[in-house]
Amino acid sequence: MSTRVVQPPSKAAALISARGLTKTYGRTEALRGASLDLHEGEILAVTGTSGSGKSTLLHCLAGIVRPDDGTVTYRGEQLGLLSEDRLSELRRDDFGVVFQFGQLIPELSALDNVALPLLLAGSRRKAAQERAGEWLERFGVRGQAAFRPGEMSGGQSQRVALARALVTQPRVVFADEPTGALDALAGEQVMTALVHIARESATAVLLITHDAQTAAYADREVLLHDGTVPAGSAGATGQEAVRHEN
Ligand code: ADP
Ligand code: MG
């Protein structure tokens, strides 16, 4: 695997475009004019030190937090202009989210955790459970189907969380430090499964990490520094990007 600097394909339409995002919490400027593009089917790593605004950026892109200023456009729709209903629909149907600690529902089995988004989207119980079982299988955790989160290892829980994020076949998965709480081996298993399945289904992934080894799984890497993407680091069309060859 090598890393080189190339021009990104400037003509490819972005799946998600963020422009000039700002977000202030009290006196803290979490984002100070951050811009980036995520393309269809692309695995993009966003790296940066702790406190550089990575999670805030992810929350803005995923329609969880409204930025103070700037725009997020997803397939031609500007998130800031959408109704709460439409935004909820996008979060349910088009976006999948994974956090550092899987945030599975502790009372539910692995199978029921994965079936839940399907039930919320209107599937029948039996169909949802069958489908959930298939996705557990794809992530190598079918054997844990009946286990509750507390009965699984961190790596197993995280693979269940990925299955839950992908089971509805979203166009984009937002993963915030998905390996941050795992040891190296479990982290590798999680990333290998995520990248394999994202490629297979042409799902775009916004992967937040402060770990170079995890970032190396991405096609491209954007560095966030003090709430902005410095020129030359990446992202917005026409700028240089660090591209990985896996
Ligand atoms: P990162 O994910 O890169 O560590 P964050 O986006 O979580 O960075 O945070 C950026 C800055 O904004 C930090 O200084 C953090 O303390 C602050 N921040 C983030 N979210 C909140 C919040 N909900 N309330 C107050 N401050 C916040
Ligand atoms: Mg964070």
Side-chain angles (χ1 to χ4, degrees), residues 27-222:
R27 286 199 197 149
T28 306
E29 293 180 281
L31 293 179
R32 299 187 306 141
S35 298
L36 69 75
D37 286 341
L38 175 67
H39 297 97
E40 195 95 44
E42 178 181 44
I43 302 179
L44 175 65
V46 174
T47 57
T49 52
S50 177
S52 57
K54 303 182 297 295
S55 295
T56 306
L57 178 64
L58 178 143
H59 294 151
C60 289
L61 289 171
I64 298 168
V65 160
R66 283 188 194 269
D68 298 332
D69 206 354
T71 57
V72 177
T73 309
Y74 170 70
R75 303 183 83 217
E77 291 185 276
Q78 205 175 300
L79 298 191
L81 303 178
L82 300 180
S83 66
E84 271 308 318
D85 281 356
R86 176 64 187 141
L87 205 50
S88 302
E89 200 173 74
L90 278 184
R91 285 193 300 248
R92 188 191 67 197
D93 298 338
D94 287 43
F95 299 166
V97 185
V98 184
F99 299 101
Q100 180 171 355
F101 302 98
Q103 300 187 345
L104 297 169
I105 297 177
E107 293 79 11
L108 295 184
S109 67
L111 188 76
D112 286 335
N113 264 286
V114 178
L116 190 59
L118 297 172
L119 294 173
L120 293 175
S123 289
R124 288 175 181 280
R125 188 164 189 84
K126 188 154 178 289
Q129 290 196 328
E130 264 174 37
R131 183 105 162 269
E134 289 162 19
W135 279 84
L136 288 177
E137 174 93 49
R138 299 182 80 176
F139 280 100
V141 280
R142 187 153 204 159
Q144 282 69 37
F147 292 14
R148 289 183 184 185
E151 299 166 331
M152 293 184 278
S153 71
Q156 287 167 345
S157 292
Q158 215 43 336
R159 281 182 282 153
V160 173
L162 285 173
R164 183 180 59 177
L166 281 146
V167 71
T168 54
Q169 299 186 272
R171 266 175 206 272
V172 193
V173 169
F174 298 95
D176 193 351
E177 311 253 12
T179 62
L182 304 179
D183 63 39
L185 177 61
E188 250 178 70
Q189 289 171 340
V190 162
M191 284 311 303
T192 305
L194 172 59
V195 166
H196 177 70
I197 289 165
R199 296 253 184 259
E200 220 174 56
S201 50
T203 308
V205 180
L206 186 87
L207 170 68
I208 291 198
T209 180
H210 61 254
D211 167 41
Q213 226 167 319
T214 304
Y217 283 91
D219 301 317
R220 196 159 66 90
E221 183 177 332
V222 169

